[in-house]
Amino acid sequence: MNNQPILWEYRLQAEDSGQKYLSILLHKFHFSLKVLQHLKQGERVWVNGRFTYLTARGKEGELLSIQLFFDEEANIPGEDLPLDLLYEDEYILAVNKPVGQVVHPNHRYLTNTLGNAVIGYWERQGEHRLYRPIHRIDRNTSGVVVIAKNQFAHQQLAWQLERGQLHKRYYGFVQGVVRKKEGTIDNPIGLAPDSFIKRKVQPNGQPARTHFRVLHRYPNATFLEFILETGRTHQIRAHCEGLGHPLLGDDLYGGDPMLINRQALHSSVYAFLHPATGLPIVIRAPFPEDLRVLMKKLKFDIL
């Protein structure tokens, strides 16, 4: 899937007549100003097969064509690492991140990250791109991570994320028996005092909403489904601690590591609208083996 010009097309409707192409792209399709600036460089905008300017005004029935071509130098080094692909097209890449892998390089993890793996994969395909993950999950959380393959896709998905149109579903095992069948945790989260890592429910934190549903109750634990309305750092982990039901294995937040040596949390489903077609996309990551083993242990009340 080498870098080739990507053509985005739209047939103007009656309500578009008299509008500048710039205005249509900006307000109707939420193109960012940064992307529009790129479109001004070279002949990248056509109407009915002829070059035009973004400031020209459109007419009903015209075919507006945009060349989205982003051949970019990688911003991190690529490495030949395993990569569990869930979905890929010209705009997005979705992977199943394993436990123990960091999503993006940082001062503590310079290599062996998901970013290094993705760039290495693209380089082997002859592609030159920046690494643009739409969201991050913790090093010891497994599951779906979605990466934009160009600036346009990243901007479109970021716009959906800001407006709550990206839907993320997690599965996790918490300590103790959660009595409510379902509910919403609406507690702000901020950095815990005397910590650079841990988050804590506190009044002056950022707004955070987590919806949960009980899937199964064990004698001393509960299997839950989580749906995030916001995406704060460690949101599920901090909210579970605040409820008095920390995730199993999550020793940073008071979870018991006896049965599993990582937080028992999996990013299972990621649903959004495709950045180019607008059609629904649902990405699912299979349930990991270590959580299947945990499920069997809980059945026999080993806690």
Side-chain angles (χ1 to χ4, degrees), residues 131-164:
Y131 178 59
R132 294 184 172 100
I134 301 304
H135 66 118
R136 302 187 188 193
I137 58 177
D138 296 335
R139 179 170 65 91
N140 286 325
T141 297
S142 56
V144 181
V145 175
V146 175
I147 299 106
K149 295 184 66 173
N150 56 56
Q151 186 184 35
F152 170 76
H154 183 265
Q155 171 259 307
Q156 289 287 306
L157 293 177
W159 186 86
Q160 292 183 42
L161 183 64
E162 290 173 3
R163 286 154 183 79

PDB file of all heavy atoms in Angstrom, residues 131-164:
ATOM      1  N   TYR A 131       3.833   9.191  12.501  1.00  0.00           N
ATOM      2  CA  TYR A 131       3.073   8.331  13.418  1.00  0.00           C
ATOM      3  C   TYR A 131       2.069   9.192  14.170  1.00  0.00           C
ATOM      4  O   TYR A 131       2.449  10.075  14.937  1.00  0.00           O
ATOM      5  CB  TYR A 131       4.040   7.647  14.381  1.00  0.00           C
ATOM      6  CG  TYR A 131       3.382   6.771  15.415  1.00  0.00           C
ATOM      7  CD1 TYR A 131       2.577   5.696  15.051  1.00  0.00           C
ATOM      8  CD2 TYR A 131       3.583   7.006  16.780  1.00  0.00           C
ATOM      9  CE1 TYR A 131       1.989   4.886  16.000  1.00  0.00           C
ATOM     10  CE2 TYR A 131       3.014   6.198  17.741  1.00  0.00           C
ATOM     11  CZ  TYR A 131       2.211   5.142  17.348  1.00  0.00           C
ATOM     12  OH  TYR A 131       1.631   4.325  18.299  1.00  0.00           O
ATOM     13  N   ARG A 132       0.768   8.945  13.935  1.00  0.00           N
ATOM     14  CA  ARG A 132      -0.279   9.777  14.516  1.00  0.00           C
ATOM     15  C   ARG A 132      -1.341   8.905  15.195  1.00  0.00           C
ATOM     16  O   ARG A 132      -2.433   8.678  14.645  1.00  0.00           O
ATOM     17  CB  ARG A 132      -0.947  10.629  13.432  1.00  0.00           C
ATOM     18  CG  ARG A 132      -0.049  11.691  12.780  1.00  0.00           C
ATOM     19  CD  ARG A 132      -0.866  12.508  11.803  1.00  0.00           C
ATOM     20  NE  ARG A 132      -0.160  13.651  11.267  1.00  0.00           N
ATOM     21  CZ  ARG A 132       0.414  13.686  10.072  1.00  0.00           C
ATOM     22  NH1 ARG A 132       0.384  12.607   9.279  1.00  0.00           N
ATOM     23  NH2 ARG A 132       1.030  14.772   9.654  1.00  0.00           N
ATOM     24  N   PRO A 133      -1.087   8.400  16.393  1.00  0.00           N
ATOM     25  CA  PRO A 133      -2.133   7.646  17.093  1.00  0.00           C
ATOM     26  C   PRO A 133      -3.277   8.576  17.498  1.00  0.00           C
ATOM     27  O   PRO A 133      -3.047   9.701  17.937  1.00  0.00           O
ATOM     28  CB  PRO A 133      -1.403   7.088  18.323  1.00  0.00           C
ATOM     29  CG  PRO A 133      -0.259   8.027  18.539  1.00  0.00           C
ATOM     30  CD  PRO A 133       0.148   8.523  17.179  1.00  0.00           C
ATOM     31  N   ILE A 134      -4.502   8.117  17.336  1.00  0.00           N
ATOM     32  CA  ILE A 134      -5.666   8.923  17.694  1.00  0.00           C
ATOM     33  C   ILE A 134      -5.845   8.968  19.206  1.00  0.00           C
ATOM     34  O   ILE A 134      -6.332   9.936  19.773  1.00  0.00           O
ATOM     35  CB  ILE A 134      -6.932   8.363  17.019  1.00  0.00           C
ATOM     36  CG1 ILE A 134      -6.760   8.348  15.499  1.00  0.00           C
ATOM     37  CG2 ILE A 134      -8.159   9.194  17.391  1.00  0.00           C
ATOM     38  CD1 ILE A 134      -6.427   9.698  14.905  1.00  0.00           C
ATOM     39  N   HIS A 135      -5.448   7.924  19.869  1.00  0.00           N
ATOM     40  CA  HIS A 135      -5.574   7.855  21.327  1.00  0.00           C
ATOM     41  C   HIS A 135      -4.467   6.942  21.845  1.00  0.00           C
ATOM     42  O   HIS A 135      -3.773   6.278  21.072  1.00  0.00           O
ATOM     43  CB  HIS A 135      -6.939   7.282  21.733  1.00  0.00           C
ATOM     44  CG  HIS A 135      -7.108   5.838  21.335  1.00  0.00           C
ATOM     45  ND1 HIS A 135      -7.292   4.822  22.235  1.00  0.00           N
ATOM     46  CD2 HIS A 135      -7.061   5.237  20.120  1.00  0.00           C
ATOM     47  CE1 HIS A 135      -7.379   3.663  21.596  1.00  0.00           C
ATOM     48  NE2 HIS A 135      -7.256   3.894  20.317  1.00  0.00           N
ATOM     49  N   ARG A 136      -4.290   6.926  23.139  1.00  0.00           N
ATOM     50  CA  ARG A 136      -3.287   6.053  23.750  1.00  0.00           C
ATOM     51  C   ARG A 136      -3.948   5.194  24.816  1.00  0.00           C
ATOM     52  O   ARG A 136      -4.934   5.613  25.435  1.00  0.00           O
ATOM     53  CB  ARG A 136      -2.155   6.872  24.385  1.00  0.00           C
ATOM     54  CG  ARG A 136      -1.449   7.792  23.401  1.00  0.00           C
ATOM     55  CD  ARG A 136      -0.248   8.452  24.040  1.00  0.00           C
ATOM     56  NE  ARG A 136       0.319   9.481  23.164  1.00  0.00           N
ATOM     57  CZ  ARG A 136       1.496  10.046  23.344  1.00  0.00           C
ATOM     58  NH1 ARG A 136       2.250   9.693  24.370  1.00  0.00           N
ATOM     59  NH2 ARG A 136       1.939  10.974  22.509  1.00  0.00           N
ATOM     60  N   ILE A 137      -3.404   4.019  25.010  1.00  0.00           N
ATOM     61  CA  ILE A 137      -3.793   3.196  26.144  1.00  0.00           C
ATOM     62  C   ILE A 137      -2.524   2.888  26.938  1.00  0.00           C
ATOM     63  O   ILE A 137      -1.418   2.943  26.411  1.00  0.00           O
ATOM     64  CB  ILE A 137      -4.529   1.902  25.726  1.00  0.00           C
ATOM     65  CG1 ILE A 137      -3.671   1.049  24.784  1.00  0.00           C
ATOM     66  CG2 ILE A 137      -5.855   2.236  25.070  1.00  0.00           C
ATOM     67  CD1 ILE A 137      -4.341  -0.270  24.401  1.00  0.00           C
ATOM     68  N   ASP A 138      -2.685   2.590  28.215  1.00  0.00           N
ATOM     69  CA  ASP A 138      -1.543   2.382  29.088  1.00  0.00           C
ATOM     70  C   ASP A 138      -0.692   1.195  28.637  1.00  0.00           C
ATOM     71  O   ASP A 138      -1.184   0.274  27.965  1.00  0.00           O
ATOM     72  CB  ASP A 138      -2.012   2.149  30.521  1.00  0.00           C
ATOM     73  CG  ASP A 138      -2.723   3.356  31.106  1.00  0.00           C
ATOM     74  OD1 ASP A 138      -2.451   4.476  30.646  1.00  0.00           O
ATOM     75  OD2 ASP A 138      -3.564   3.170  32.006  1.00  0.00           O
ATOM     76  N   ARG A 139       0.553   1.206  29.058  1.00  0.00           N
ATOM     77  CA  ARG A 139       1.502   0.155  28.672  1.00  0.00           C
ATOM     78  C   ARG A 139       0.969  -1.234  29.007  1.00  0.00           C
ATOM     79  O   ARG A 139       1.100  -2.167  28.216  1.00  0.00           O
ATOM     80  CB  ARG A 139       2.844   0.381  29.388  1.00  0.00           C
ATOM     81  CG  ARG A 139       3.907  -0.659  29.100  1.00  0.00           C
ATOM     82  CD  ARG A 139       5.261  -0.236  29.639  1.00  0.00           C
ATOM     83  NE  ARG A 139       5.265  -0.161  31.087  1.00  0.00           N
ATOM     84  CZ  ARG A 139       5.593  -1.195  31.879  1.00  0.00           C
ATOM     85  NH1 ARG A 139       5.941  -2.357  31.367  1.00  0.00           N
ATOM     86  NH2 ARG A 139       5.570  -1.048  33.188  1.00  0.00           N
ATOM     87  N   ASN A 140       0.342  -1.385  30.175  1.00  0.00           N
ATOM     88  CA  ASN A 140      -0.136  -2.702  30.581  1.00  0.00           C
ATOM     89  C   ASN A 140      -1.624  -2.896  30.365  1.00  0.00           C
ATOM     90  O   ASN A 140      -2.249  -3.759  31.001  1.00  0.00           O
ATOM     91  CB  ASN A 140       0.246  -2.974  32.040  1.00  0.00           C
ATOM     92  CG  ASN A 140       1.724  -3.275  32.189  1.00  0.00           C
ATOM     93  OD1 ASN A 140       2.324  -3.890  31.304  1.00  0.00           O
ATOM     94  ND2 ASN A 140       2.324  -2.834  33.275  1.00  0.00           N
ATOM     95  N   THR A 141      -2.206  -2.095  29.481  1.00  0.00           N
ATOM     96  CA  THR A 141      -3.560  -2.345  28.976  1.00  0.00           C
ATOM     97  C   THR A 141      -3.429  -2.868  27.554  1.00  0.00           C
ATOM     98  O   THR A 141      -2.663  -2.319  26.759  1.00  0.00           O
ATOM     99  CB  THR A 141      -4.407  -1.057  28.990  1.00  0.00           C
ATOM    100  OG1 THR A 141      -4.556  -0.603  30.337  1.00  0.00           O
ATOM    101  CG2 THR A 141      -5.786  -1.295  28.399  1.00  0.00           C
ATOM    102  N   SER A 142      -4.153  -3.907  27.246  1.00  0.00           N
ATOM    103  CA  SER A 142      -4.107  -4.493  25.901  1.00  0.00           C
ATOM    104  C   SER A 142      -5.246  -3.956  25.051  1.00  0.00           C
ATOM    105  O   SER A 142      -6.199  -3.371  25.552  1.00  0.00           O
ATOM    106  CB  SER A 142      -4.212  -6.022  25.998  1.00  0.00           C
ATOM    107  OG  SER A 142      -5.394  -6.393  26.717  1.00  0.00           O
ATOM    108  N   GLY A 143      -5.144  -4.168  23.726  1.00  0.00           N
ATOM    109  CA  GLY A 143      -6.288  -3.911  22.870  1.00  0.00           C
ATOM    110  C   GLY A 143      -6.108  -2.899  21.761  1.00  0.00           C
ATOM    111  O   GLY A 143      -4.986  -2.578  21.352  1.00  0.00           O
ATOM    112  N   VAL A 144      -7.233  -2.377  21.275  1.00  0.00           N
ATOM    113  CA  VAL A 144      -7.298  -1.575  20.061  1.00  0.00           C
ATOM    114  C   VAL A 144      -6.593  -0.228  20.221  1.00  0.00           C
ATOM    115  O   VAL A 144      -6.822   0.499  21.196  1.00  0.00           O
ATOM    116  CB  VAL A 144      -8.761  -1.303  19.650  1.00  0.00           C
ATOM    117  CG1 VAL A 144      -8.804  -0.476  18.358  1.00  0.00           C
ATOM    118  CG2 VAL A 144      -9.532  -2.604  19.466  1.00  0.00           C
ATOM    119  N   VAL A 145      -5.730   0.079  19.238  1.00  0.00           N
ATOM    120  CA  VAL A 145      -5.196   1.425  19.073  1.00  0.00           C
ATOM    121  C   VAL A 145      -5.367   1.784  17.597  1.00  0.00           C
ATOM    122  O   VAL A 145      -5.024   0.994  16.716  1.00  0.00           O
ATOM    123  CB  VAL A 145      -3.709   1.520  19.466  1.00  0.00           C
ATOM    124  CG1 VAL A 145      -3.171   2.913  19.166  1.00  0.00           C
ATOM    125  CG2 VAL A 145      -3.516   1.196  20.944  1.00  0.00           C
ATOM    126  N   VAL A 146      -5.902   2.983  17.324  1.00  0.00           N
ATOM    127  CA  VAL A 146      -6.137   3.433  15.958  1.00  0.00           C
ATOM    128  C   VAL A 146      -5.129   4.527  15.616  1.00  0.00           C
ATOM    129  O   VAL A 146      -4.918   5.456  16.401  1.00  0.00           O
ATOM    130  CB  VAL A 146      -7.578   3.958  15.784  1.00  0.00           C
ATOM    131  CG1 VAL A 146      -7.774   4.546  14.388  1.00  0.00           C
ATOM    132  CG2 VAL A 146      -8.579   2.825  16.026  1.00  0.00           C
ATOM    133  N   ILE A 147      -4.513   4.391  14.440  1.00  0.00           N
ATOM    134  CA  ILE A 147      -3.500   5.350  13.986  1.00  0.00           C
ATOM    135  C   ILE A 147      -3.947   5.946  12.657  1.00  0.00           C
ATOM    136  O   ILE A 147      -4.366   5.217  11.749  1.00  0.00           O
ATOM    137  CB  ILE A 147      -2.127   4.663  13.808  1.00  0.00           C
ATOM    138  CG1 ILE A 147      -1.647   4.079  15.136  1.00  0.00           C
ATOM    139  CG2 ILE A 147      -1.104   5.626  13.250  1.00  0.00           C
ATOM    140  CD1 ILE A 147      -1.735   2.589  15.222  1.00  0.00           C
ATOM    141  N   ALA A 148      -3.879   7.269  12.546  1.00  0.00           N
ATOM    142  CA  ALA A 148      -4.202   7.942  11.282  1.00  0.00           C
ATOM    143  C   ALA A 148      -3.001   7.857  10.350  1.00  0.00           C
ATOM    144  O   ALA A 148      -1.862   8.042  10.771  1.00  0.00           O
ATOM    145  CB  ALA A 148      -4.568   9.394  11.536  1.00  0.00           C
ATOM    146  N   LYS A 149      -3.258   7.601   9.065  1.00  0.00           N
ATOM    147  CA  LYS A 149      -2.169   7.442   8.106  1.00  0.00           C
ATOM    148  C   LYS A 149      -1.824   8.732   7.374  1.00  0.00           C
ATOM    149  O   LYS A 149      -0.850   8.762   6.606  1.00  0.00           O
ATOM    150  CB  LYS A 149      -2.507   6.333   7.100  1.00  0.00           C
ATOM    151  CG  LYS A 149      -2.603   4.955   7.741  1.00  0.00           C
ATOM    152  CD  LYS A 149      -2.848   3.862   6.733  1.00  0.00           C
ATOM    153  CE  LYS A 149      -1.689   3.662   5.787  1.00  0.00           C
ATOM    154  NZ  LYS A 149      -1.879   2.486   4.913  1.00  0.00           N
ATOM    155  N   ASN A 150      -2.581   9.776   7.588  1.00  0.00           N
ATOM    156  CA  ASN A 150      -2.240  11.069   7.007  1.00  0.00           C
ATOM    157  C   ASN A 150      -2.865  12.181   7.839  1.00  0.00           C
ATOM    158  O   ASN A 150      -3.667  11.926   8.740  1.00  0.00           O
ATOM    159  CB  ASN A 150      -2.672  11.169   5.531  1.00  0.00           C
ATOM    160  CG  ASN A 150      -4.143  10.894   5.338  1.00  0.00           C
ATOM    161  OD1 ASN A 150      -5.000  11.544   5.940  1.00  0.00           O
ATOM    162  ND2 ASN A 150      -4.467   9.917   4.500  1.00  0.00           N
ATOM    163  N   GLN A 151      -2.478  13.402   7.543  1.00  0.00           N
ATOM    164  CA  GLN A 151      -2.911  14.547   8.337  1.00  0.00           C
ATOM    165  C   GLN A 151      -4.423  14.737   8.288  1.00  0.00           C
ATOM    166  O   GLN A 151      -5.058  15.073   9.287  1.00  0.00           O
ATOM    167  CB  GLN A 151      -2.201  15.800   7.844  1.00  0.00           C
ATOM    168  CG  GLN A 151      -2.464  17.041   8.694  1.00  0.00           C
ATOM    169  CD  GLN A 151      -1.821  18.275   8.096  1.00  0.00           C
ATOM    170  OE1 GLN A 151      -1.751  18.405   6.884  1.00  0.00           O
ATOM    171  NE2 GLN A 151      -1.360  19.174   8.932  1.00  0.00           N
ATOM    172  N   PHE A 152      -5.009  14.525   7.114  1.00  0.00           N
ATOM    173  CA  PHE A 152      -6.455  14.683   6.969  1.00  0.00           C
ATOM    174  C   PHE A 152      -7.201  13.700   7.863  1.00  0.00           C
ATOM    175  O   PHE A 152      -8.135  14.075   8.580  1.00  0.00           O
ATOM    176  CB  PHE A 152      -6.852  14.483   5.506  1.00  0.00           C
ATOM    177  CG  PHE A 152      -8.335  14.380   5.294  1.00  0.00           C
ATOM    178  CD1 PHE A 152      -9.129  15.506   5.347  1.00  0.00           C
ATOM    179  CD2 PHE A 152      -8.938  13.150   5.041  1.00  0.00           C
ATOM    180  CE1 PHE A 152     -10.513  15.424   5.152  1.00  0.00           C
ATOM    181  CE2 PHE A 152     -10.304  13.054   4.848  1.00  0.00           C
ATOM    182  CZ  PHE A 152     -11.094  14.188   4.896  1.00  0.00           C
ATOM    183  N   ALA A 153      -6.810  12.418   7.829  1.00  0.00           N
ATOM    184  CA  ALA A 153      -7.484  11.407   8.649  1.00  0.00           C
ATOM    185  C   ALA A 153      -7.340  11.722  10.132  1.00  0.00           C
ATOM    186  O   ALA A 153      -8.288  11.588  10.912  1.00  0.00           O
ATOM    187  CB  ALA A 153      -6.920  10.025   8.336  1.00  0.00           C
ATOM    188  N   HIS A 154      -6.157  12.165  10.522  1.00  0.00           N
ATOM    189  CA  HIS A 154      -5.927  12.501  11.928  1.00  0.00           C
ATOM    190  C   HIS A 154      -6.825  13.655  12.364  1.00  0.00           C
ATOM    191  O   HIS A 154      -7.453  13.614  13.432  1.00  0.00           O
ATOM    192  CB  HIS A 154      -4.459  12.873  12.139  1.00  0.00           C
ATOM    193  CG  HIS A 154      -4.122  13.167  13.566  1.00  0.00           C
ATOM    194  ND1 HIS A 154      -4.124  14.440  14.081  1.00  0.00           N
ATOM    195  CD2 HIS A 154      -3.793  12.341  14.591  1.00  0.00           C
ATOM    196  CE1 HIS A 154      -3.802  14.398  15.367  1.00  0.00           C
ATOM    197  NE2 HIS A 154      -3.591  13.141  15.699  1.00  0.00           N
ATOM    198  N   GLN A 155      -6.924  14.666  11.534  1.00  0.00           N
ATOM    199  CA  GLN A 155      -7.750  15.823  11.868  1.00  0.00           C
ATOM    200  C   GLN A 155      -9.223  15.443  11.961  1.00  0.00           C
ATOM    201  O   GLN A 155      -9.944  15.861  12.869  1.00  0.00           O
ATOM    202  CB  GLN A 155      -7.522  16.917  10.827  1.00  0.00           C
ATOM    203  CG  GLN A 155      -8.465  18.097  10.925  1.00  0.00           C
ATOM    204  CD  GLN A 155      -9.579  18.000   9.884  1.00  0.00           C
ATOM    205  OE1 GLN A 155      -9.327  17.841   8.707  1.00  0.00           O
ATOM    206  NE2 GLN A 155     -10.805  18.099  10.339  1.00  0.00           N
ATOM    207  N   GLN A 156      -9.691  14.619  11.021  1.00  0.00           N
ATOM    208  CA  GLN A 156     -11.094  14.210  11.029  1.00  0.00           C
ATOM    209  C   GLN A 156     -11.440  13.382  12.271  1.00  0.00           C
ATOM    210  O   GLN A 156     -12.487  13.576  12.900  1.00  0.00           O
ATOM    211  CB  GLN A 156     -11.401  13.403   9.765  1.00  0.00           C
ATOM    212  CG  GLN A 156     -11.418  14.223   8.485  1.00  0.00           C
ATOM    213  CD  GLN A 156     -12.644  15.109   8.376  1.00  0.00           C
ATOM    214  OE1 GLN A 156     -13.775  14.641   8.479  1.00  0.00           O
ATOM    215  NE2 GLN A 156     -12.439  16.388   8.157  1.00  0.00           N
ATOM    216  N   LEU A 157     -10.560  12.448  12.639  1.00  0.00           N
ATOM    217  CA  LEU A 157     -10.830  11.604  13.799  1.00  0.00           C
ATOM    218  C   LEU A 157     -10.666  12.380  15.102  1.00  0.00           C
ATOM    219  O   LEU A 157     -11.392  12.136  16.067  1.00  0.00           O
ATOM    220  CB  LEU A 157      -9.925  10.378  13.772  1.00  0.00           C
ATOM    221  CG  LEU A 157     -10.204   9.399  12.624  1.00  0.00           C
ATOM    222  CD1 LEU A 157      -9.217   8.242  12.639  1.00  0.00           C
ATOM    223  CD2 LEU A 157     -11.630   8.865  12.693  1.00  0.00           C
ATOM    224  N   ALA A 158      -9.714  13.312  15.137  1.00  0.00           N
ATOM    225  CA  ALA A 158      -9.560  14.159  16.318  1.00  0.00           C
ATOM    226  C   ALA A 158     -10.820  15.008  16.524  1.00  0.00           C
ATOM    227  O   ALA A 158     -11.246  15.234  17.668  1.00  0.00           O
ATOM    228  CB  ALA A 158      -8.332  15.047  16.170  1.00  0.00           C
ATOM    229  N   TRP A 159     -11.407  15.463  15.438  1.00  0.00           N
ATOM    230  CA  TRP A 159     -12.645  16.243  15.520  1.00  0.00           C
ATOM    231  C   TRP A 159     -13.765  15.391  16.118  1.00  0.00           C
ATOM    232  O   TRP A 159     -14.533  15.854  16.963  1.00  0.00           O
ATOM    233  CB  TRP A 159     -13.035  16.726  14.121  1.00  0.00           C
ATOM    234  CG  TRP A 159     -14.208  17.666  14.093  1.00  0.00           C
ATOM    235  CD1 TRP A 159     -14.198  19.023  14.252  1.00  0.00           C
ATOM    236  CD2 TRP A 159     -15.581  17.304  13.894  1.00  0.00           C
ATOM    237  NE1 TRP A 159     -15.460  19.528  14.173  1.00  0.00           N
ATOM    238  CE2 TRP A 159     -16.337  18.502  13.949  1.00  0.00           C
ATOM    239  CE3 TRP A 159     -16.238  16.101  13.675  1.00  0.00           C
ATOM    240  CZ2 TRP A 159     -17.721  18.519  13.793  1.00  0.00           C
ATOM    241  CZ3 TRP A 159     -17.614  16.111  13.530  1.00  0.00           C
ATOM    242  CH2 TRP A 159     -18.342  17.319  13.586  1.00  0.00           C
ATOM    243  N   GLN A 160     -13.868  14.124  15.688  1.00  0.00           N
ATOM    244  CA  GLN A 160     -14.871  13.228  16.258  1.00  0.00           C
ATOM    245  C   GLN A 160     -14.602  12.963  17.732  1.00  0.00           C
ATOM    246  O   GLN A 160     -15.530  12.909  18.554  1.00  0.00           O
ATOM    247  CB  GLN A 160     -14.887  11.898  15.496  1.00  0.00           C
ATOM    248  CG  GLN A 160     -15.386  11.993  14.062  1.00  0.00           C
ATOM    249  CD  GLN A 160     -15.445  10.632  13.386  1.00  0.00           C
ATOM    250  OE1 GLN A 160     -15.862   9.638  13.974  1.00  0.00           O
ATOM    251  NE2 GLN A 160     -15.003  10.571  12.143  1.00  0.00           N
ATOM    252  N   LEU A 161     -13.322  12.793  18.073  1.00  0.00           N
ATOM    253  CA  LEU A 161     -12.954  12.516  19.460  1.00  0.00           C
ATOM    254  C   LEU A 161     -13.355  13.673  20.373  1.00  0.00           C
ATOM    255  O   LEU A 161     -13.905  13.459  21.461  1.00  0.00           O
ATOM    256  CB  LEU A 161     -11.444  12.272  19.548  1.00  0.00           C
ATOM    257  CG  LEU A 161     -10.882  11.906  20.923  1.00  0.00           C
ATOM    258  CD1 LEU A 161     -11.455  10.575  21.400  1.00  0.00           C
ATOM    259  CD2 LEU A 161      -9.355  11.817  20.859  1.00  0.00           C
ATOM    260  N   GLU A 162     -13.111  14.900  19.929  1.00  0.00           N
ATOM    261  CA  GLU A 162     -13.449  16.082  20.727  1.00  0.00           C
ATOM    262  C   GLU A 162     -14.946  16.185  20.976  1.00  0.00           C
ATOM    263  O   GLU A 162     -15.373  16.719  22.005  1.00  0.00           O
ATOM    264  CB  GLU A 162     -12.966  17.344  20.023  1.00  0.00           C
ATOM    265  CG  GLU A 162     -11.453  17.509  20.001  1.00  0.00           C
ATOM    266  CD  GLU A 162     -11.014  18.676  19.140  1.00  0.00           C
ATOM    267  OE1 GLU A 162     -11.910  19.384  18.623  1.00  0.00           O
ATOM    268  OE2 GLU A 162      -9.802  18.879  18.966  1.00  0.00           O
ATOM    269  N   ARG A 163     -15.743  15.675  20.058  1.00  0.00           N
ATOM    270  CA  ARG A 163     -17.203  15.799  20.156  1.00  0.00           C
ATOM    271  C   ARG A 163     -17.882  14.524  20.645  1.00  0.00           C
ATOM    272  O   ARG A 163     -19.097  14.388  20.547  1.00  0.00           O
ATOM    273  CB  ARG A 163     -17.766  16.228  18.785  1.00  0.00           C
ATOM    274  CG  ARG A 163     -17.480  17.686  18.509  1.00  0.00           C
ATOM    275  CD  ARG A 163     -17.414  17.993  17.031  1.00  0.00           C
ATOM    276  NE  ARG A 163     -17.069  19.405  16.828  1.00  0.00           N
ATOM    277  CZ  ARG A 163     -15.830  19.888  16.926  1.00  0.00           C
ATOM    278  NH1 ARG A 163     -14.821  19.070  17.207  1.00  0.00           N
ATOM    279  NH2 ARG A 163     -15.580  21.172  16.748  1.00  0.00           N
ATOM    280  N   GLY A 164     -17.118  13.597  21.139  1.00  0.00           N
ATOM    281  CA  GLY A 164     -17.689  12.383  21.704  1.00  0.00           C
ATOM    282  C   GLY A 164     -18.292  11.446  20.685  1.00  0.00           C
ATOM    283  O   GLY A 164     -19.169  10.640  21.019  1.00  0.00           O
TER     284      GLY A 164
END
